[in-house]
Amino acid sequence: MGDGLKVFHIVGARPNFMKVAPVMSALKSRKHVVQILVHTGQHYDANMSDVFFEQLGVPAPDVNLAVGSASHARQTAEIMTRFEPVLLEHRPDVVLVYGDVNSTVATALVCAKLGVHVGHVEAGLRSFDRTMPEEVNRLVTDQLADWLFTPSEDGDINLQREGIATEKVFRVGNVMIDSLVKLLPAAERMNRTGFPERYALVTLHRPANVDEGAGLKRILLSLLEVSQDLSVVFPAHPRTRKRIADFGLHAGQLQIVDPLSYLEFLGLQSHATVVITDSGGVQEETTYLGVPCLTLRENTERPITVSLGTNILVGRDPDKLRCELSRILAGKAKKGTVPPLWDGRAGERIAATLAG
Ligand code: UD1
């Protein structure tokens, strides 16, 4: 693509913000590129959205669709309905969508119907588990995209298996790691007063883990057991906090706090003894940081964090969690390496591919 390129970026939910930042920043130096940022409003709380814009240096959105929360069908439909007139008004040359959230698939679908080119950043990831809403979003978005930017080789292989033409696939590396590389020094300087010296850092929000009372109770009991050996710091996603209250569960001595800003969370990750999570991005960040990560899922769409990185899937098995944790506490944590192209330059490669 050449002269006078108009690029839309779509963000909606927390993990999108650290992915869009490096791409926007890299495209900024291309004077022929005009960038328009659209926030769907899937996440709207200050601590789930605004603070990330500030810390990552992302400009205020040009358009906010303010869709808010709803069931999957309603949220997806609402994003589509509100996005269509915006797309018709601006007619961009390419729309960049990020990751695997409902905002990603909804806007990609609108573009495909109106014949507008789509670039998918973080294409090709697969958990092979279609009960996971994000897996459906990934599969559909990749089928619709014209440019598929993958973070690692497994992404390319998955896309090839699904019949996607190799000319459309560009292995650029991991944009989330771009933001980490840039902001780690500032994160290291963040004040950690009020947090213990040694701790397990926990995040939990997957519907499969938190939406059912008995399952969530089992996880909390496992974490309470962890807290006998190590303090547990648990910045809770609003969805998780609500479920804990709805089910009347007790968090005992777990240090449950509100969702943290990017810098606070990154600072806590980099100093954690272990991270226990069901997030996708956190599996990647811990791999880069070389911090042990125990993932409370049976599968991952980011297998490279297991094959090369520090990640171990413990599923929902408390014995496995206990066993891996004692290995870490005994100083025998799995050692990992940083995957190829996770080097802080993925955004620049995307910009070079799209805009020369
Ligand atoms: C979404 C993404 C998930 C991503 C996660 C990161 C989909 C399908 N899922 O999940 O991939 O890992 O974001 O956070 O897109 N809520 C608030 N305030 C907010 C946002 C949400 O209170 O600012 C609450 C609402 O009660 C809402 C619930 O969280 O119903 C779920 O929000 P939603 O965006 O639907 O999904 P997430 O679970 O956040």
Side-chain angles (χ1 to χ4, degrees), residues 38-92:
V38 179
H39 191 330
T40 65
Q42 178 175 345
H43 286 178
Y44 41 84
D45 286 344
N47 60 8
M48 296 289 284
S49 178
D50 303 2
V51 68
F52 290 85
F53 280 75
E54 286 155 36
Q55 294 189 341
L56 292 156
V58 177
D62 299 288
V63 180
N64 193 327
L65 304 178
V67 294
S69 302
S71 70
H72 281 265
R74 286 189 51 189
Q75 189 178 58
T76 307
E78 201 58 52
I79 296 167
M80 291 180 70
T81 308
R82 295 188 191 194
F83 180 58
E84 187 179 50
V86 176
L87 192 66
L88 285 169
E89 184 195 333
H90 291 273
R91 279 274 165 198

Side-chain angles (χ1 to χ4, degrees), residues 12-15 41-49 68-72 75 100-104 133-134 137-138 205-207 237-240 242-243 278-280:
R14 188 169 57 179
Q42 178 175 345
H43 286 178
Y44 41 84
D45 286 344
N47 60 8
M48 296 289 284
S49 178
S69 302
S71 70
H72 281 265
Q75 189 178 58
D100 56 15
V101 300
N102 287 342
S103 302
T104 312
E134 293 83 358
N137 295 347
R138 292 179 201 117
H205 73 279
R206 295 268 157 231
H237 187 289
R239 170 191 207 111
T240 310
K242 185 167 181 308
R243 295 286 187 259
D278 62 6
S279 150

Side-chain angles (χ1 to χ4, degrees), residues 156-176:
D156 300 34
I157 295 168
N158 291 334
L159 294 173
Q160 202 173 14
R161 195 185 305 115
E162 288 167 21
I164 290 173
T166 45
E167 317 75 91
K168 296 203 276 184
V169 179
F170 302 87
R171 196 187 315 158
V172 293
N174 191 325
V175 282
M176 199 151 196

